[in-house]
Amino acid sequence: MNIYTILIALVGWFIVHYLTSQRDLKNKRRKLHTQYLIEAYRRLVSSVMLVNSSEEHKQNVESSIADVQLLGTRSQINLVNKILEEIENTNVGDYTELIRDLRNSLRDELKLDPISSEVQVIMFNTPNTPEERGN
């Protein structure tokens, strides 16, 4: 066997191995990124729809905001900053745009068809009055 043939085979094997490991790493990052944003989306939607001042509610909102600031797009981070500014000024923030943007970007990442309708959530056994919600 010719030494050049062996060298070409070895170089080819290293290149294929490198490209495969890079693809696998990219896929793992994408999967992790998507998982974190899906969880942030779920926590944010459930916390925003069930407005109360419980510790669980606060922790869900805080961790969702932190996840979006870490893994979100520039647009999503800008929306978080807008919400935080609203909360600082009025003690209330509107999460609608952020929830919509998260849904759209996650659907795009998962290669699902875009949706133009508003996000709607059904919540069973939720408090109906401010007293029941802890407000």
Side-chain angles (χ1 to χ4, degrees):
M1 203 185 249
N2 189 341
I3 189 77
Y4 294 113
T5 305
I6 295 171
L7 285 174
I8 290 173
L10 283 173
V11 169
W13 181 85
F14 279 112
I15 290 172
V16 168
H17 176 70
Y18 174 77
L19 293 175
T20 300
S21 64
Q22 291 299 307
R23 182 197 65 214
D24 291 346
L25 182 61
K26 181 180 176 183
N27 286 340
K28 285 179 185 177
R29 284 182 183 157
R30 181 175 169 228
K31 182 179 178 181
L32 184 65
H33 174 258
T34 303
Q35 285 176 328
Y36 270 88
L37 288 181
I38 287 172
E39 284 304 311
Y41 174 84
R42 287 180 179 156
R43 285 190 313 271
L44 195 58
V45 167
S46 66
S47 294
V48 169
M49 296 305 181
L50 180 60
V51 178
N52 65 42
S53 57
S54 72
E55 280 305 309
E56 181 182 5
H57 166 79
K58 291 174 185 176
Q59 289 174 352
N60 281 341
V61 172
E62 289 170 358
S63 67
S64 296
I65 294 298
D67 286 348
V68 172
Q69 287 181 325
L70 178 64
L71 298 167
T73 63
R74 181 172 287 134
S75 150
Q76 291 162 353
I77 293 169
N78 289 338
L79 290 170
V80 165
N81 291 337
K82 179 181 170 188
I83 292 167
L84 295 175
E85 192 174 300
E86 289 173 358
I87 291 171
E88 185 178 317
N89 293 331
T90 65
N91 289 334
V92 178
D94 182 4
Y95 297 86
T96 307
E97 286 182 70
L98 176 60
I99 290 170
R100 187 181 311 120
D101 194 295
L102 282 168
R103 179 185 67 175
N104 292 340
S105 70
L106 286 166
R107 290 187 66 82
D108 184 54
E109 180 74 24
L110 297 170
K111 307 292 187 235
L112 299 172
D113 293 335
I115 295 179
S116 60
S117 65
E118 291 299 317
V119 175
Q120 297 186 20
V121 177
I122 185 167
M123 301 291 280
F124 294 103
N125 298 322
T126 58
N128 295 319
T129 66
E131 295 80 25
E132 291 173 328
R133 289 191 301 259
N135 295 340

